[in-house]
Amino acid sequence: MRLLTGTGHTAYAALPVIVQVAKEGNVRPSKPLSIAVVASQIAITASPISAAVVIFASFLEPLGVSYLQLLAIAYSFYYFSLLSWCCYSQ
């Protein structure tokens, strides 16, 4: 959701759902809530429409890094960080 909107503020709508599902699964809500907040902020750097990515692309373009290369790196980091969290939390 955050990846497509370019803002981390959409996380607020999902917080009550995360808490409810965590309680139903007998999991402390602090763990899923913390990863939701972190993933929300990482998604901002991976969103192609966020201001952070556009500004960062303008800084890197003189160094020879294209917009698509930047997005490829950002998406790789985004998915790797979520995958590593999922493996670590088990």
Side-chain angles (χ1 to χ4, degrees):
M1 180 167 55
R2 295 132 190 91
L3 187 66
L4 299 174
T5 59
T7 180
H9 295 294
T10 56
Y12 304 139
L15 294 181
V17 175
I18 293 169
V19 170
Q20 181 179 359
V21 170
K23 286 182 178 178
E24 289 173 0
N26 293 327
V27 176
R28 282 186 27 209
S30 60
K31 285 186 177 185
L33 285 173
S34 63
I35 193 58
V37 171
V38 171
S40 161
Q41 297 309 312
I42 291 174
I44 290 174
T45 61
S47 175
I49 60 172
S50 71
V53 173
V54 173
I55 289 173
F56 198 53
S58 69
F59 291 151
L60 292 178
E61 192 164 358
L63 300 174
V65 179
S66 72
Y67 185 72
L68 293 177
Q69 289 172 329
L70 175 63
L71 288 181
I73 292 168
Y75 285 143
S76 301
F77 176 73
Y78 177 67
Y79 290 116
F80 175 74
S81 62
L82 288 178
L83 179 65
S84 62
W85 181 84
C86 288
C87 292
Y88 176 73
S89 67
Q90 296 297 329

